[in-house]
Amino acid sequence: MRRVIILLLTQVLLWALLAELNHGLSGWQVHVFGGALFVVYPALHLGRTEGLLVAGWAGLLCDAHSPVPLGTHGLLFAAAHLLLFRARERVPRKDPVSQILVVLFTNLALFLGLSLLRLPVAPAPGGAWARLLPDLLVSQLTLAVVAVWFLALQDRLVRLGDAWAELRGHRG
């Protein structure tokens, strides 16, 4: 449970950083979507249930700040978690290039999934893609730059939590 709590705290940090970044970019009418960063580390390094808990909670956190029905991000994040969890034995988890590629493909899938879910309620569905493509491009470029840092932060904090628990004589 210690790892779940540590990762939940990193999710709050990520959510706050993305909110600040998007606030700063609002003048240019650009939005950075970083959904993959909420999902990738738990899917690649935690058990199925623990990772689902972290992904679902992160999804609810993102839902609270977005104009989507409650549970939309949570369901998408849970689905991404389950797909990544099943494929994680084929992914070199410590290789930075592999990490970036997993984050980018996961983010692309989540972005498209969320966009397709929200497209029917868009005021002008045909023109929505002209607005979504720049957001996707900026999101992917941003994640390519920060993904390794954020995944390393999560890994370091989990390892510190494990070391702290070992020093105190706790297991699990």
Side-chain angles (χ1 to χ4, degrees), residues 101-113:
L101 290 175
V102 169
V103 166
L104 292 177
F105 282 120
T106 303
N107 204 62
L108 175 64
L110 288 170
F111 185 92
L112 291 176

Side-chain angles (χ1 to χ4, degrees), residues 1 27 39 56 76 99-100 111 117 147 149-150 158 168:
M1 197 61 173
V39 176
L76 285 172
Q99 289 178 348
I100 291 172
F111 185 92
L117 285 174
W149 168 79
F150 188 72
V158 166
R168 300 201 59 207

Side-chain angles (χ1 to χ4, degrees), residues 13-85:
L13 173 65
L14 175 62
W15 176 78
L17 290 173
L18 283 172
E20 286 299 316
L21 176 62
N22 285 323
H23 179 71
L25 293 174
S26 65
W28 287 294
Q29 298 179 354
V30 176
H31 180 267
V32 172
F33 177 75
L37 291 179
F38 291 102
V39 176
V40 170
Y41 187 86
L44 296 180
H45 298 282
L46 294 183
R48 186 181 68 210
T49 305
E50 292 173 315
L52 270 175
L53 181 65
V54 173
W57 188 87
L60 292 176
L61 181 65
C62 290
D63 283 340
H65 191 65
S66 299
V68 297
L70 185 64
T72 303
H73 283 93
L75 289 174
L76 285 172
F77 288 4
H81 167 77
L82 290 173
L83 289 171
L84 286 173
F85 183 80

Side-chain angles (χ1 to χ4, degrees), residues 93-164:
R93 296 182 231 178
K94 297 296 182 187
D95 178 37
V97 174
S98 296
Q99 289 178 348
I100 291 172
L101 290 175
V102 169
V103 166
L104 292 177
F105 282 120
T106 303
N107 204 62
L108 175 64
L110 288 170
F111 185 92
L112 291 176
L114 186 62
S115 297
L116 290 174
L117 285 174
R118 298 299 296 157
L119 200 56
V121 296
W129 289 108
R131 164 89 171 89
L132 292 172
L133 288 176
D135 287 352
L136 177 61
L137 181 64
V138 170
S139 298
Q140 296 295 80
L141 290 173
T142 302
L143 291 186
V145 172
V146 302
V148 172
W149 168 79
F150 188 72
L151 295 174
L153 173 70
Q154 289 179 308
D155 191 55
R156 178 62 57 99
L157 291 174
V158 166
R159 287 181 188 213
L160 285 172
D162 290 346
W164 177 257

